[in-house]
Amino acid sequence: MRIALHSEIRDGAIDDYRSHHARIPDALAATFARIGIRDWTIWRSGHRLFHLVECEDWDAALAALADDPADHAWQAEIGPFVELFRDADGAEGFVPLEEVWDLRGQVDG
């Protein structure tokens, strides 16, 4: 499955976010592989971040991350630079954005 997320960087934290996120810890990359997160790409527009995640099962991956020490360490490191996550309606929330259209789905479907 493929999901998108939207988050925002704290004011004045773009450079720090970029430098800390240039490479995630190897332990976290190993956790992602183990729980079925195959790829995660982040784009930035101003202070807004857009994430595209390819995974086997997003809900299962989130459940697995809840007790994962590598993710807890990463959140402690990167968290100070992230203001919040937003849902599809712009409210605060760590939930996937609504998919509106997909070329591959249209062509293959």
Side-chain angles (χ1 to χ4, degrees):
M1 74 187 307
R2 183 177 64 171
I3 63 111
L5 302 167
H6 172 212
S7 62
E8 296 179 8
I9 300 174
R10 292 186 190 280
D11 286 340
I14 291 172
D15 290 338
D16 288 331
Y17 179 87
R18 232 194 255 120
S19 67
H20 279 79
H21 223 305
R23 178 177 173 86
I24 66 168
D26 291 337
L28 183 59
T31 292
F32 284 173
R34 179 178 50 78
I35 65 173
I37 294 176
R38 302 292 173 233
D39 197 14
W40 192 316
T41 307
I42 303 171
W43 291 271
R44 183 180 71 83
S45 177
H47 70 284
R48 296 176 179 197
L49 299 171
F50 299 92
H51 310 246
L52 179 64
V53 182
E54 295 183 17
C55 59
E56 292 173 14
D57 181 329
W58 177 246
D59 292 332
L62 277 185
L65 288 173
D67 296 321
D68 185 79
D71 186 58
H72 287 259
W74 175 244
Q75 294 308 319
E77 180 178 338
I78 202 69
F81 311 116
V82 178
E83 181 71 27
L84 53 80
F85 276 79
R86 294 197 181 275
D87 67 14
D89 295 319
E92 189 172 343
F94 190 70
V95 296
L97 297 176
E98 175 188 3
E99 183 177 304
V100 176
W101 176 76
D102 173 24
L103 176 61
R104 187 179 336 164
Q106 178 178 324
V107 171
D108 293 347

